[in-house]
Amino acid sequence: MLHQDIFEELMSEQEINDTVDKIAAQINRDYAGKSVIVVGVLKGSIMFLADLLRKLTIDDCQLDFVAASSYSSGSVSSGKVKITKDITCNPIGRDILLVEDILDTGNTLSYIKDHLMKMGAASVRICTLFDKPARRKQPVAADYTGKTIDDLFIVGYGLDYSEHYRNLPYVGVLKSEIYS
Ligand code: IMP
Ligand code: MG
C-alpha cells in the first residue's frame, strides 16, 4: 500500500524541528546550572530524544533509558504496566527528565514516574512530544509538551503501530481502516 493510503501527515519534519527547538529552550531555561539525568522511554522516544538531546545546553547532563510494557497488542492497551528495562544510573537525590513519545492514558508515565520517585529521585519531570488528554486515566500531566492532539492514533518519528512505521521522518495519523 502507498503511504498516503495508510496515513495523513500530522507533523512535518520542519514542524518537528521547530517543536523540538521550543521544548529545548524551555528545558534549557529551567535546568540552567543544574544537573539532570535525561531518561528516554524506549522505544518510541528515540528520535525525539536524539533530536532534543543535541539541543540541550545543560552542563551536567546524563543519559539513561527505561522500557515499560503495558501488555498491549496493536493499538489497545490493558493498563497494567511493568518495567522491562530499568535505568542503570543511580537516581538517588537526582533530578530526572523523562522523555516520551506520547502521553495517552498516562498509565505508563505515571507508573515510571512513581517507580523513579520510589527509587529516591529528587524530582521527575515529564517531557512528551505529543499529548492526548482526552484518553487520560491517571492524574499525570506533562511538564513539557510538543503538541496536544485529539484522540487519533499516530505513527512515525519513533511512534509505532505494532512495531511498524517508527522509521518515518514525520508523524502521520494512521487511518482507522488499518487498525480497526
Ligand atoms: P499510555 O500508558 O496509555 O499513556 O500510553 C503510552 C504509550 O502508548 C506510548 O508510549 C506509546 O508507546 C503508546 N501510544 C499511545 N498512543 C499512541 C499513538 O497514537 N501512536 C503510537 N503509540 C501510541
Ligand atoms: Mg509504543
Side-chain angles (χ1 to χ4, degrees), residues 69-81 104-105 107-108 135 137:
S69 158
S70 62
Y71 303 96
S72 62
S73 86
S75 60
V76 185
S77 161
S78 73
K80 227 180 124 205
V81 179
D104 185 15
T105 64
N107 289 328
T108 308
R135 284 176 33 95
K137 292 202 176 93

Side-chain angles (χ1 to χ4, degrees), residues 87-111:
I87 57 166
T88 55
C89 287
N90 180 355
I92 296 175
R94 301 295 308 276
D95 293 316
I96 293 179
L97 180 65
L98 268 175
V99 177
E100 175 63 304
D101 53 0
I102 185 164
L103 177 54
D104 185 15
T105 64
N107 289 328
T108 308
L109 282 174
S110 70
Y111 187 89

Side-chain angles (χ1 to χ4, degrees), residues 113-124:
K113 183 173 178 174
D114 208 44
H115 170 72
L116 296 172
M117 289 306 291
K118 280 182 189 154
M119 284 174 86
S123 73
V124 179

Side-chain angles (χ1 to χ4, degrees), residues 1-165:
M1 253 196 283
L2 296 169
H3 274 179
Q4 60 263 38
D5 297 331
I6 302 171
F7 34 71
E8 279 162 44
E9 189 172 278
L10 177 80
M11 197 186 268
S12 67
E13 290 187 65
Q14 184 59 53
E15 285 169 305
I16 289 171
N17 189 58
D18 295 347
T19 303
V20 177
D21 276 347
K22 179 194 78 178
I23 296 176
Q26 292 168 1
I27 294 171
N28 286 332
R29 187 195 57 215
D30 293 353
Y31 287 88
K34 293 188 182 169
S35 93
V36 66
I37 308 176
V38 176
V39 175
V41 182
L42 294 172
K43 305 172 193 169
S45 71
I46 59 148
M47 292 217 200
F48 175 43
L49 178 69
D51 286 342
L52 180 68
L53 262 185
R54 71 190 97 194
K55 290 174 177 172
L56 296 185
T57 53
I58 306 157
D59 289 333
D60 188 2
C61 182
Q62 286 171 276
L63 174 64
D64 210 334
F65 291 98
V66 66
S69 158
S70 62
Y71 303 96
S72 62
S73 86
S75 60
V76 185
S77 161
S78 73
K80 227 180 124 205
V81 179
K82 69 168 178 185
I83 305 277
T84 54
K85 186 240 168 288
D86 213 337
I87 57 166
T88 55
C89 287
N90 180 355
I92 296 175
R94 301 295 308 276
D95 293 316
I96 293 179
L97 180 65
L98 268 175
V99 177
E100 175 63 304
D101 53 0
I102 185 164
L103 177 54
D104 185 15
T105 64
N107 289 328
T108 308
L109 282 174
S110 70
Y111 187 89
I112 295 172
K113 183 173 178 174
D114 208 44
H115 170 72
L116 296 172
M117 289 306 291
K118 280 182 189 154
M119 284 174 86
S123 73
V124 179
R125 283 190 187 162
I126 291 172
C127 171
T128 187
L129 182 56
F130 293 98
D131 187 6
K132 276 200 277 200
R135 284 176 33 95
R136 198 77 87 252
K137 292 202 176 93
Q138 302 294 329
V140 60
D143 300 279
Y144 307 96
T145 303
K147 190 182 173 92
T148 300
I149 61 168
D150 294 334
D151 184 8
L152 304 165
F153 197 82
I154 59 174
V155 294
Y157 193 65
L159 289 135
D160 74 305
Y161 169 62
S162 290
E163 298 301 328
H164 292 277
Y165 313 122

